[in-house]
Each structure stands twice: as C-alpha cells, then as structure tokens.
Amino acid sequence: QVQLVESGGGLVQPGGSLRLSCAASGGVFDILAVGWGRQAPGKQRELVATITNSGSINYVDSVKGRFAISRDNAKNMVYLQMNSLKPEDTAVYYCNAGGVAGDWGRGTQVTVSS
C-alpha cells in the first residue's frame, strides 16, 4: 500500500495557475502508474491525468493542453501543473497510485473563482 499526501491547492482566479504536489511513501511507487483525480460537488471522482512508470501520459479531454502531469521517482513525488484554470475545474484533487482500484490520498481543494 502506498501512502499519498497532496499539497498545493487553493483559491485562484479564472485563467490562473496552480501546481499540485503529491508525496508518496511505502509500497513500490516507482513501478506503479500514478495520477491525479478530482471530484466536484455532486459528481463522481474521475482520473484526469495519469503517467506510467515508463512515462506514458494520458489526460481526459477536458484538461488536455492545460494540465501537465510529471513524476520524480527518485523523490517519490508526483506533480500536476494546472494552467488556464476554469471555474469548472473547481474540485477536490486526489493523488492516485495504481489506478482507480489502487491507493488515494486525502485530497486538496482547488477553487477557481473571481
């Protein structure tokens, strides 16, 4: 089991940027696919960005071109750079390891509002 702790959330105006960080411990982080999910009020949690241990990256269409996921296996860290933020990006963002059936962090709130 991998323990995941997110940081970097907050309040940002539309068009702004935020960088989320996720610190991982335990488990075998460097061989797992990791990612970021989000859950908006009244909606199901969805994975929006994933990166495999070999560096293959996928995004959901709603964040393509605006979000960038990266990982540093030496530091057991995962990052999500979010640019051109929109109000509909408002959600609790969760770090994930091992896919939807894997491990999740407790989340960090991101609010996009003027």
Side-chain angles (χ1 to χ4, degrees), residues 1-6 21-29 32 34 75-78 95-98 102-107:
Q1 189 173 8
V2 181
Q3 290 77 47
L4 304 163
V5 179
E6 304 93 339
S21 299
C22 172
S25 60
V28 286
F29 174 82
L32 295 173
V34 293
K75 296 181 179 179
N76 281 5
M77 295 291 294
V78 188
C95 187
N96 169 266
D103 299 309
W104 295 87
R106 292 190 174 185

Side-chain angles (χ1 to χ4, degrees), residues 27-98:
V28 286
F29 174 82
D30 58 343
I31 69 169
L32 295 173
V34 293
W36 289 91
R38 67 185 181 186
Q39 186 168 20
K43 295 188 177 181
Q44 288 190 329
R45 184 164 56 186
E46 61 169 346
L47 272 171
V48 298
T50 58
I51 181 169
T52 67
N53 61 327
S54 61
S56 179
I57 291 173
N58 281 288
Y59 301 102
V60 295
D61 287 346
S62 59
V63 308
K64 282 181 181 177
R66 301 188 298 122
F67 289 13
I69 187 172
S70 60
R71 67 189 294 169
D72 185 338
N73 288 342
K75 296 181 179 179
N76 281 5
M77 295 291 294
V78 188
Y79 305 98
L80 186 68
Q81 178 66 43
M82 305 186 294
N83 300 323
S84 302
L85 283 162
K86 305 175 181 179
E88 51 264 43
D89 294 318
T90 295
V92 178
Y93 283 72
Y94 298 89
C95 187
N96 169 266

